[in-house]
């Protein structure tokens, strides 16, 4: 069965390609290499023994998208990761984000709408909930006004898919709302490759641990949480990748209850920033140099997932603990720096 993975050389995309190939899917990757490297293919081959097909295409080029689907009429499923994801950059360059994340989604949906049957998995984010009123966050929690153009592209993306599914019954879609993905494949053949100074906590922790950064700034120590730092739900990227395969199989096997569904992907456990640091110190045996500084504008206090829906309906549950995920992130950091 042929599956297109857009952004398949990126962090979550590459881990998902591995899990798809482990299950025998025939994968074709589209990636524009704007935030990834063709070398990731070698890592995928090292793990699975199979080289996925790869086409360097910028999905903003509509004619290339049309041409791709004309050549690959046997694509039955699409997992769409390709998107820009830096929150700060999205504030500076909103149109770039709307063009990259919305324009490309529209082109893909147009092509899929032409098919007799199509299955579509969308990378969404817990950012759509903003600061939810209740924890853990269930899928029916209200979507709040986005804090950034990036967050807005995830909300709008979900709406565009839902609207399209209403009028295209042959299209079946699932939006997966990720909490905080982290870690790397246990083989250390693939992992996260942040370009420049990492904005996300875990790569900043491991880069500080290895000596690339002098100190981690902990953004805010006066939040109303157990230790004053923000709470997030950190999920191992391999667990997350497996959920994509299960969601796709649900659509391909017509097990879905509606032609548009939404699931949270998290562990259900909230961890503070200081707990994440302690986890790093446990698994690395190193002390981390950090300092509590001012809050980062736009940060929410707390977000962790209700895992009930994904567990009950998809039959999926995150298996790794924070320490296991942190250990994999640390092993990956050591490998890429050596
Ligand atoms: C961020 C984005 C979110 C996006 C997600 C994708 C913001 C406000 N939110 O989520 O929209 O979907 O990334 O990965 O950017 N922290 C530090 N020091 C650091 C970095 C982070 O203390 O150097 C803290 C943050 O304040 C936060 C936690 O670590 O409490 C996690 O931060 P981060 O990894 O950036 O993820 P989110 O903010 O949850």
């Amino acid at each position: 069965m042929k599956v297109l993975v857009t952004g398949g050389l990126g962090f979550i995309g590459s881990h998902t390609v591995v899990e798809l190939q482990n299950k025998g899917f025939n994968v074709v990757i589209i990636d524009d290499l704007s935030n990834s490297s063709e070398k990731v293919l070698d890592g995928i081959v090292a793990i699975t023994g199979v080289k996925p097909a790869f086409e360097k295409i910028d999905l903003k080029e509509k004619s290339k998208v049309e041409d791709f689907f004309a050549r690959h009429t046997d694509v039955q499923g699409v997992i769409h990761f390709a998107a820009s994801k830096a929150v700060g950059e999205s504030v500076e360059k909103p149109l770039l984000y709307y063009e990259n994340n919305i324009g490309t989604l529209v082109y893909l949906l147009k092509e899929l709408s032409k098919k007799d049957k199509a299955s579509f998995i969308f990378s969404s984010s817990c950012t759509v909930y903003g600061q939810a009123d209740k924890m853990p966050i269930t899928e029916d929690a209200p979507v709040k006004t986005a804090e950034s153009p990036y967050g807005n592209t995830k909300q709008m993306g979900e709406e565009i898919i839902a609207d399209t599914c209403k009028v295209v019954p042959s299209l079946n879609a699932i939006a997966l709302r990720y909490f905080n993905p982290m870690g790397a494949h246990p083989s250390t053949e693939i992992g996260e490759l942040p370009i420049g100074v990492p904005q996300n906590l875990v790569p900043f922790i491991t880069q500080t641990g290895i000596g690339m950064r002098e100190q981690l700034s902990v953004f805010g120590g006066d939040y109303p949480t157990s230790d004053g730092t923000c709470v997030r739900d950190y999920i191992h990227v391999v667990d997350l990748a497996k959920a994509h395969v299960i969601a796709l199989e649900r659509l391909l096997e017509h097990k879905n209850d509606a032609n548009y569904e939404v699931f949270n992907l998290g562990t259900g456990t909230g961890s503070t920033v200081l707990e994440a640091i302690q986890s790093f110190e446990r698994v690395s045996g190193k002390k981390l140099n950090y300092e509590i500084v001012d809050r980062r504008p736009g940060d929410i206090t707390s977000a962790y997932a209700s895992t009930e829906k994904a567990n009950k309906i998809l039959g999926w549950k995150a298996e790794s603990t924070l320490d296991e995920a942190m250990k994999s992130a640390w092993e990956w950091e050591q490998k890429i720096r050596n």
Side-chain angles (χ1 to χ4, degrees):
M1 182 133 359
K2 196 188 266 187
V3 176
L4 165 63
V5 181
T6 74
L9 297 180
F11 175 40
I12 307 171
S14 58
H15 288 81
T16 301
V17 169
V18 164
E19 297 305 324
L20 285 166
Q21 294 198 152
N22 283 344
K23 283 262 186 140
F25 283 98
N26 173 12
V27 176
V28 50
I29 294 172
I30 288 182
D31 201 297
D32 69 355
L33 302 179
S34 61
N35 194 19
S36 60
S37 153
E38 221 173 321
K39 284 193 193 134
V40 174
L41 285 171
D42 300 336
I44 294 171
V45 175
I47 300 168
T48 64
V50 179
K51 188 165 186 178
F54 165 61
E55 296 197 22
K56 182 176 181 288
I57 292 175
D58 180 345
L59 295 170
K60 289 196 295 296
E61 294 187 59
K62 191 175 177 217
S63 60
K64 295 215 170 136
V65 178
E66 288 167 350
D67 172 67
F68 175 88
F69 280 95
R71 285 185 288 110
H72 296 269
T73 51
D74 52 345
V75 164
Q76 301 192 32
V78 176
I79 305 185
H80 180 42
F81 292 103
S84 301
K85 61 169 187 180
V87 176
E89 185 188 47
S90 80
V91 176
E92 306 289 320
K93 301 173 183 166
L95 292 179
L96 178 78
Y97 273 66
Y98 291 117
E99 189 179 28
N100 278 353
N101 297 4
I102 300 296
T104 58
L105 173 66
V106 170
Y107 298 157
L108 283 174
L109 291 176
K110 272 192 165 174
E111 291 307 309
L112 293 181
S113 300
K114 293 178 193 165
K115 294 171 91 68
D116 296 339
K117 195 124 212 63
S119 301
F120 187 72
I121 307 292
F122 179 62
S123 280
S124 190
S125 167
C126 69
T127 194
V128 302
Y129 298 117
Q131 179 58 69
D133 304 320
K134 272 189 276 172
M135 294 296 138
I137 304 174
T138 52
E139 286 81 351
D140 55 11
V143 167
K144 299 243 173 103
T145 308
E147 290 274 353
S148 67
Y150 160 77
N152 207 20
T153 64
K154 293 299 173 190
Q155 297 187 1
M156 290 168 66
E158 287 193 6
E159 287 171 13
I160 290 167
I161 298 163
D163 288 345
T164 310
C165 284
K166 276 182 205 151
V167 294
V168 184
S170 57
L171 177 66
N172 288 276
I174 290 179
L176 297 173
R177 293 175 175 164
Y178 314 151
F179 281 68
N180 290 60
M182 64 171 289
H185 196 271
S187 63
T188 64
E189 293 291 346
I190 55 172
E192 195 168 2
L193 286 166
I195 293 174
V197 182
Q199 305 299 308
N200 293 117
L201 179 65
V202 175
F204 207 105
I205 287 179
T206 56
Q207 287 194 7
T208 307
I210 206 111
M212 268 179 84
R213 315 268 159 216
E214 207 183 307
Q215 189 176 56
L216 168 78
S217 297
V218 173
F219 298 134
D222 58 351
Y223 284 98
T225 60
S226 59
D227 60 22
T229 63
C230 293
V231 171
R232 297 288 187 273
D233 184 341
Y234 296 96
I235 175 167
H236 196 305
V237 64
V238 173
D239 280 329
L240 197 68
K242 287 180 179 164
H244 287 75
V245 180
I246 294 170
L248 182 68
E249 285 172 337
R250 175 176 172 81
L251 298 182
L252 294 171
E253 292 163 14
H254 315 297
K255 289 187 186 152
N256 45 322
D257 296 321
N259 76 330
Y260 175 65
E261 297 176 313
V262 173
F263 293 96
N264 284 342
L265 297 182
T267 66
T269 302
S271 304
T272 65
V273 177
L274 296 183
E275 284 167 346
I277 293 171
Q278 286 153 15
S279 169
F280 172 79
E281 292 183 336
R282 265 194 304 277
V283 302
S284 68
K286 278 174 168 268
K287 275 267 155 235
L288 193 79
N289 183 24
Y290 72 88
E291 185 189 12
I292 297 178
V293 301
D294 287 346
R295 292 181 176 196
R296 178 170 71 177
D299 269 345
I300 54 162
T301 303
S302 185
Y304 55 95
S306 163
T307 58
E308 207 182 314
K309 187 177 177 192
N311 193 199
K312 242 189 213 158
I313 298 178
L314 295 179
W316 169 88
K317 210 173 176 176
E319 281 162 12
S320 295
T321 61
L322 175 61
D323 279 6
E324 286 163 347
M326 193 62 83
K327 184 164 173 280
S328 72
W330 177 233
E331 284 169 353
W332 170 248
E333 186 69 60
Q334 293 176 91
K335 164 156 176 184
I336 54 177
R337 298 310 153 198
N338 293 329

